[in-house]
Amino acid sequence: MLEPQTIANPLREGMRVARAPEPASIIIFGATGDLARRKLVPALYNLARENYMPPVFNIIGFARKPRTDAAMRAEYKQAVAEFSREKIQAETWDSFDENIFYVQSNLDDPDGYKRLKQELERFDQERGTLGNRLFYLAVPPELMPEIVEMLGKAELNTSAGYTRIILEKPFGRDLTSALDLNHRLHQVFDESQIYRIDHYLGKEAVQNLFVFRFANGILEPIWNRTYINNVQITVAETVGVETRGEYYDHAGALRDIIQNHALQLLAVTTMEPPPVFGPDQVRNEKAQVLRAIRPLDFNEIAHATLRGQYGAGAIGGLQVPGYRTEPEVDAASATETYVALKLHIDNWRWAGVPFYLRTGKRLPKRMTEIAVEFNLPPLSLFGKNGVNPLEPNTLVFNIQPDEGITLKIESKIPGQDNRIRPVNMDFRYNSAFGQAAPEAYERLLLDAMLGDPMLFTRYDEVEAQWAVITPILEAWRNIPAPAFPNYEAGVWGPAAADDFIKRDGRKWRRL
Amino acid sequence: MSFALASEIVHTPPQTVNLRRIERELTALRQNNLAGDIPMLRACTLTLVVFCGLGQDPANLETLLTQIVSSNPARVILIAAPKPGEPWIETRISCYHVEQGATRRQVGEEIDFYPRGAQYDSMPSAVLGLRVSGLPFALYWRGQPDLDDRLFRALVGEADQILFDSAHFTARAERVNNTIARLRLDYPQVSFGDINWQRIRPWREMVAQFFDDPGSMTFLDHITRVQIEFSTGLNGNQSAAILMMAWLASSLGWRVAPGSYERDGMTRRARFISRGYASAAREIEVAIHVREQNDCAPGELTGIRLATPGEAPDAIFQVKRIEGGLADIQELSPNRYVKRSATLRVPHESSVLVAELDAPRRDRNYHRALELLDSLVSGSNRLAF
């Protein structure tokens, strides 16, 4: 006779979701902060609405500000009404809201952690959460080590069920601090318990990159240095620093976007096929390719990197202030809000292919894309001396806002003569599947509850990413910054950005 | 589910054409639709034949077809149920396009056939010649399948994928499902699907969720009573409820108790014998009956209740449809008492059809459910069904 615990739920066979998460308590540190209100609680509510939450769950806010359970519930209700992708429904809210609780404590107060532990044990007893705990650290990075240490001291790093911890980026400020953070985390938690969130990996379009690359046989033969001329990864934002002035002024675009999102996009684009589509195998391959990125030496940095900072200008017809006059930003700040990089991957597949990464704030358009530009045919048959100049084929993965894939091909214009023009073949998620994709945080929170770390960043990936970025940070400290601001809000970065790529005989994609 | 592009798609007014000149007229239609020198891209991913059963007006399918071509650019061949009269086939063509910047993209072309009298017999030749070469050929038979129908037989032999909607079956659902079960055996290479099977998917997921927790999974071995409720339609179609019973029984490995399937008006009763993972085999009684609900489409499920009365441990797992498109979910067991509300998203016909066309496959669970239904009817008084 089989033990019931050893068999899978027979009613789940063939279903989209193989199982629902087990009953659990979700503890949010920084419960009254912006991230919890804008992203986490709306994501948890939408999961509950779609019946993806565990049959029993508690959402326990843990923060410094005094709140009652009722006040926290009211605050979250307002947040969901404001930020959820789906409208709030009275019935589903009522059955969601009764699972929200609050524990008030300073983050460095051992008594607060004791009370939290008592509450969690009480919930396990009274509500049947089976000792399963998911800690979400939605706090500034400098507070993380202390919270982790306090959790360890309060013996909240282990329980009768599972204990997992989700950390928001940035994971450190440079390689040294990232190594230190990982070391301190590993003193309290095993790596298998740690979920480092990079919300870009939760986006449907990024997950489709895996499928597009590894479920289509036509790509593999051409996905290499022989056929690909260069790759351009762009993360363009129209917004300024909004309410994050203080954080951003100490971080800058290189740490805020390139170190994590852009390098993760690069890794997914260039990784080798894993032997199995499993969390360890996928992350092994990503880490491997990240380690193969050639670090820039001091002499290369002057021409392989470019930084900029926006001044006042206009976006979408509205005047916007310059970076240095944004709230909580130093009036003489030398922090970069625009970065362009040229990187190389030293491995068999990619040797010699340049990877251009650029990101910026207050650019004309919000857009994230990966553009893979192929080599031109070896000989132009259709006109000489500039007649019918060919455009390279480009395969573009649009990550946001209009998720999809575009292939630019050359085509003959109908007629007696051989006139050629580029045509885009488009695949768009919203029109192809007609279905709103879940928010990245929904997917990632569900994965964390299910114990699937595939879309979370492992310690060795983080360290490999910092190994690429840290030499640039160090060099920039020693090279005088350009005269900032060097681009107006509403243009595609500093004027030097065009020369940056033109030196290689290439140009940025016009977006 | 929303179709972002559907509202932007233009469907040109259908124009009557000669049956023998369909391809030429379609080419002319494409040329006429060029807006000045705006380039036209033509996309096509499949040939989709839609047969409208008796009493269905093909004109009512415009929204459905627009939604389908918005995500699956296709050549659609729409066939109306034959009408009596002089032998004749009226033929109309139209196309669907969408404008994107400086480009106009054709996402579909539609050929409508309205056969009359004996001319219906020549429909197979008209339809098969219009298949787009090299692309999948899907048949959506939006009515009751009839093995003696010449067109049906001809199309089944050609199709890569056949979809039914058992909510449209007029005969008793058990008998029609037997027909599909037999077709599956005759055409093993074809992917068969039922829109109604996908309609009950949210219900299947909610029931499955009760037993994800290993502590609750033990209750599966003690279920002895199942009650499935549905809302009646004009023809009393209870296909969804019957499929739900068949899914539950086949997934849990229940055997049919011989001669146990009974019909009494709208009510069905069946008895099964459990396989018994961790306990002795026992008898399970499943009852299907009507519970009306205001905002329900005819035939839709309105509730399901699984119970272990008289067994230790005693437990009830229940999902009830309530107003506002919501489900009331309750678990009462020694492990816990849980009561919550969640959105009950019964998928629309178009979204199910799009999903099926996107991923044609032989759904093992559906086929297993049909096999169980077959043995349920075979072991009972067949004439009653």
Side-chain angles (χ1 to χ4, degrees):
Chain A
M1 208 154 40
L2 288 170
E3 285 294 319
Q5 283 81 355
T6 63
I7 57 171
N9 178 356
L11 296 177
R12 279 285 181 192
E13 198 188 319
M15 285 189 183
R16 291 172 306 171
V17 176
R19 65 195 162 101
E22 288 180 32
S25 293
I26 300 148
I27 306 99
I28 303 176
F29 287 81
T32 55
D34 230 26
L35 182 69
R37 293 179 64 254
R38 281 171 181 264
K39 296 289 182 187
L40 303 185
V41 177
L44 289 166
Y45 170 69
N46 281 326
L47 287 172
R49 220 184 111 102
E50 304 287 337
N51 203 30
Y52 285 126
M53 284 298 278
V56 178
F57 63 93
N58 313 307
I59 297 170
I60 302 159
F62 189 90
R64 187 173 40 83
K65 293 178 185 166
R67 294 274 191 287
T68 59
D69 289 348
M72 194 75 255
R73 288 169 187 173
E75 201 171 311
Y76 280 165
K77 186 175 186 181
Q78 198 184 344
V80 170
E82 197 174 343
F83 299 113
S84 166
R85 70 180 167 89
E86 296 279 357
K87 263 174 69 177
I88 202 162
Q89 276 176 311
E91 294 84 349
T92 47
W93 176 260
D94 288 347
S95 58
F96 178 79
D97 144 289
E98 63 193 25
N99 303 298
I100 297 172
F101 305 93
Y102 187 73
V103 174
Q104 189 258 321
S105 168
N106 282 332
L107 297 176
D108 58 354
D109 177 7
D111 282 346
Y113 289 81
K114 266 186 209 157
R115 276 186 286 118
L116 174 64
K117 191 176 183 195
Q118 284 164 2
E119 283 293 88
L120 288 170
E121 284 167 353
R122 184 172 68 83
F123 287 141
D124 289 343
Q125 288 287 322
E126 291 175 8
R127 294 171 58 89
T129 34
L130 309 173
N132 293 323
R133 285 143 200 199
L134 181 64
F135 296 102
Y136 199 118
L137 271 53
V139 295
E142 60 274 15
L143 299 177
M144 285 180 189
E146 185 168 32
I147 295 173
V148 169
E149 200 179 317
M150 299 299 279
L151 287 171
K153 282 186 181 158
E155 295 179 341
L156 280 164
N157 54 341
T158 177
S159 67
Y162 70 70
T163 300
R164 297 176 191 139
I165 181 164
I166 302 181
L167 296 106
E168 270 289 333
K169 63 120 183 160
F171 315 112
R173 285 185 51 78
D174 53 22
L175 182 57
T176 310
S177 59
L179 286 167
D180 179 58
L181 178 60
N182 279 337
H183 175 69
R184 293 171 79 164
L185 273 167
H186 288 154
Q187 283 184 325
V188 179
F189 292 99
D190 184 75
E191 179 64 21
S192 63
Q193 295 176 282
I194 303 169
Y195 289 67
R196 295 174 192 80
I197 210 164
D198 182 330
H199 74 272
Y200 263 52
L201 293 178
K203 290 180 182 290
E204 283 285 331
V206 176
Q207 292 161 48
N208 191 42
L209 249 168
F210 289 114
V211 176
F212 195 78
R213 282 199 58 203
F214 303 130
N216 292 295
I218 58 162
L219 278 189
E220 177 55 25
I222 57 169
W223 209 248
N224 55 50
R225 62 188 302 275
T226 312
Y227 297 96
I228 291 176
N229 182 282
N230 72 92
V231 176
Q232 296 181 19
I233 297 177
T234 304
V235 182
E237 298 178 285
T238 51
V239 293
V241 291
E242 297 184 304
T243 56
R244 300 196 307 152
E246 190 184 349
Y247 155 75
Y248 195 88
D249 208 31
H250 289 95
L254 190 64
R255 286 190 180 96
D256 191 45
I257 299 287
I258 300 285
Q259 186 275 335
N260 36 72
H261 303 325
L263 286 180
Q264 279 293 319
L265 293 179
L266 177 68
V268 178
T269 309
T270 56
M271 64 188 267
E272 292 299 312
V276 174
F277 197 62
D280 282 339
Q281 293 84 348
V282 167
R283 297 191 298 175
N284 286 346
E285 298 302 339
K286 279 201 291 159
Q288 179 115 319
V289 81
L290 287 166
R291 281 194 293 265
I293 297 174
R294 185 195 310 159
L296 297 171
D297 68 34
F298 189 82
N299 295 324
E300 286 174 302
I301 283 169
H303 61 265
T305 71
L306 176 73
R307 48 188 159 152
Q309 188 191 79
Y310 64 84
I315 300 271
L318 296 174
Q319 290 297 317
V320 295
Y323 176 71
R324 288 176 174 177
T325 55
E326 297 271 19
E328 297 178 2
V329 168
D330 183 345
S333 174
T335 299
E336 79 286 355
T337 61
Y338 176 96
V339 178
L341 294 183
K342 181 169 83 166
L343 298 174
H344 280 93
I345 297 174
D346 284 342
N347 68 13
W348 206 256
R349 187 188 286 268
W350 297 112
V353 178
F355 290 84
Y356 299 99
L357 279 57
R358 62 173 162 166
T359 185
K361 284 197 171 293
R362 292 289 191 212
L363 300 184
K365 223 172 168 181
R366 173 177 171 255
M367 168 169 277
T368 300
E369 67 160 42
I370 302 161
V372 180
E373 198 173 288
F374 291 86
N375 287 326
L376 286 167
L379 191 65
S380 175
L381 300 177
F382 305 101
K384 293 192 169 78
N385 303 326
V387 181
N388 276 337
L390 296 182
E391 293 264 331
N393 296 138
T394 309
L395 183 62
V396 183
F397 299 94
N398 309 89
I399 307 298
Q400 65 180 15
D402 188 14
E403 294 96 334
I405 296 169
T406 302
L407 176 64
K408 188 173 80 175
I409 54 171
E410 294 287 31
S411 177
K412 181 179 177 300
I413 301 171
Q416 303 299 340
D417 51 356
N418 273 329
R419 283 182 304 139
I420 292 173
R421 80 186 240 185
V423 175
N424 279 352
M425 293 205 321
D426 271 332
F427 157 80
R428 285 286 171 274
Y429 257 95
N430 62 355
S431 54
F433 298 109
Q435 193 172 359
E439 285 280 331
Y441 275 96
E442 291 171 34
R443 168 69 195 254
L444 294 171
L445 280 163
L446 181 61
D447 280 1
M449 285 188 272
L450 289 167
D452 181 352
M454 170 120 66
L455 299 176
F456 294 84
T457 319
R458 206 169 57 189
Y459 76 99
D460 49 349
E461 293 177 73
V462 172
E463 290 170 9
Q465 288 166 193
W466 278 119
V468 174
I469 298 303
T470 304
I472 303 171
L473 289 168
E474 285 169 359
W476 281 359
R477 266 201 298 273
N478 296 309
I479 304 170
F484 284 160
N486 57 354
Y487 71 97
E488 255 179 49
V491 304
W492 282 104
D498 287 338
D499 296 334
F500 175 84
I501 192 166
K502 207 171 165 186
R503 283 198 294 265
D504 296 343
R506 300 187 176 93
K507 56 186 179 185
W508 292 113
R509 256 173 60 78
R510 287 165 57 192
L511 301 174
Chain B
M1 180 171 284
S2 64
F3 285 82
L5 253 185
S7 58
E8 299 158 23
I9 287 182
V10 177
H11 184 203
T12 62
Q15 58 187 73
T16 304
V17 297
N18 186 316
L19 181 62
R20 293 180 185 179
R21 291 176 50 87
I22 291 174
E23 291 286 8
R24 260 180 284 181
E25 297 286 356
L26 281 169
T27 306
L29 183 63
R30 281 196 290 274
Q31 283 164 354
N32 291 342
N33 275 323
L34 284 177
D37 59 354
I38 293 180
M40 166 89 95
L41 297 173
R42 185 180 167 213
C44 188
T45 58
L46 82 155
T47 307
L48 172 65
V49 178
V50 181
F51 176 82
C52 295
L54 283 170
Q56 296 176 30
D57 181 357
N60 291 342
L61 295 187
E62 186 181 20
T63 308
L64 174 76
L65 295 179
T66 304
Q67 286 168 344
I68 288 168
V69 296
S70 74
S71 56
N72 295 74
R75 168 172 283 187
V76 179
I77 301 171
L78 189 65
I79 307 168
K83 285 187 174 166
E86 286 293 304
W88 177 250
I89 299 176
E90 186 184 339
T91 310
R92 297 178 197 163
I93 61 167
S94 55
C95 74
Y96 298 83
H97 61 250
V98 60
E99 277 173 31
Q100 289 177 323
T103 311
R104 178 174 281 185
R105 189 162 63 96
Q106 180 176 308
V107 292
E109 50 197 15
E110 183 180 324
I111 304 152
D112 303 339
F113 291 118
Y114 293 84
R116 280 206 298 268
Q119 200 70 25
Y120 179 69
D121 289 346
S122 62
M123 278 306 305
S125 61
V127 173
L128 296 178
L130 291 168
R131 176 183 185 152
V132 181
S133 308
L135 291 177
F137 185 84
L139 170 63
Y140 178 28
W141 196 267
R142 210 167 175 271
Q144 185 150 308
D146 177 1
L147 287 180
D148 297 328
D149 184 289
R150 199 169 156 212
L151 176 64
F152 180 69
R153 277 210 320 272
L155 295 181
V156 168
E158 279 291 312
D160 300 298
Q161 182 180 16
I162 301 175
L163 298 165
F164 300 103
D165 186 349
S166 57
H168 290 297
F169 292 174
T170 45
R172 289 179 193 128
E174 291 89 343
R175 193 181 294 173
V176 189
N177 279 320
N178 277 3
T179 306
I180 301 172
R182 265 184 285 154
L183 278 171
R184 280 185 47 245
L185 297 175
D186 292 344
Y187 298 93
Q189 77 287 1
V190 180
S191 149
F192 286 89
D194 180 354
I195 304 294
N196 225 11
W197 174 255
Q198 297 301 336
R199 244 179 233 126
I200 64 168
R201 194 191 64 217
W203 289 88
R204 290 188 276 134
E205 286 175 347
M206 282 188 285
V207 170
Q209 198 191 47
F210 284 127
F211 307 101
D212 282 328
D213 167 14
S216 298
M217 203 156 71
T218 52
F219 292 112
L220 285 174
D221 271 331
H222 299 279
I223 291 168
T224 52
R225 295 277 184 281
V226 177
Q227 195 169 302
I228 301 171
E229 298 166 330
F230 70 104
S231 181
T232 52
L234 289 174
N235 58 14
N237 185 298
Q238 48 200 187
S239 189
I242 289 168
L243 285 170
M244 190 72 189
M245 169 181 69
W247 165 72
L248 198 58
S250 59
S251 300
L252 294 176
W254 295 346
R255 283 179 292 113
V256 173
S260 67
Y261 195 36
E262 296 163 10
R263 183 176 77 90
D264 179 11
M266 292 286 203
T267 304
R268 300 279 193 278
R269 281 185 199 287
R271 285 197 313 280
F272 297 91
I273 310 294
S274 77
R275 181 167 58 180
Y277 283 114
S279 59
R282 74 213 175 278
E283 194 172 270
I284 303 118
E285 189 180 294
V286 180
I288 296 175
H289 58 84
V290 173
R291 184 177 73 87
E292 296 295 357
Q293 177 77 44
N294 280 342
D295 53 354
C296 262
E300 266 187 36
L301 296 182
T302 54
I304 181 163
R305 185 177 199 264
L306 287 71
T308 64
E311 292 263 343
D314 204 356
I316 293 170
F317 305 90
Q318 179 174 291
V319 182
K320 257 184 195 290
R321 187 181 171 124
I322 54 175
E323 294 202 5
L326 296 171
D328 184 59
I329 303 167
Q330 284 191 55
E331 174 183 345
L332 175 60
S333 71
N335 286 355
R336 63 179 77 103
Y337 172 64
V338 178
K339 184 178 184 308
R340 66 181 188 279
S341 300
T343 309
L344 177 62
R345 227 180 267 285
V346 178
H348 188 264
E349 180 182 9
S350 54
S351 62
V352 175
L353 203 50
V354 165
E356 287 282 334
L357 292 171
D358 280 340
R361 65 197 168 105
R362 287 176 72 84
D363 183 336
R364 209 155 68 96
N365 297 309
Y366 170 57
H367 294 163
R368 238 173 21 190
L370 287 187
E371 278 164 19
L372 181 127
L373 215 46
D374 193 34
S375 60
L376 196 60
V377 177
S378 304
S380 305
N381 177 10
R382 288 183 75 97
L383 293 177
F385 302 96

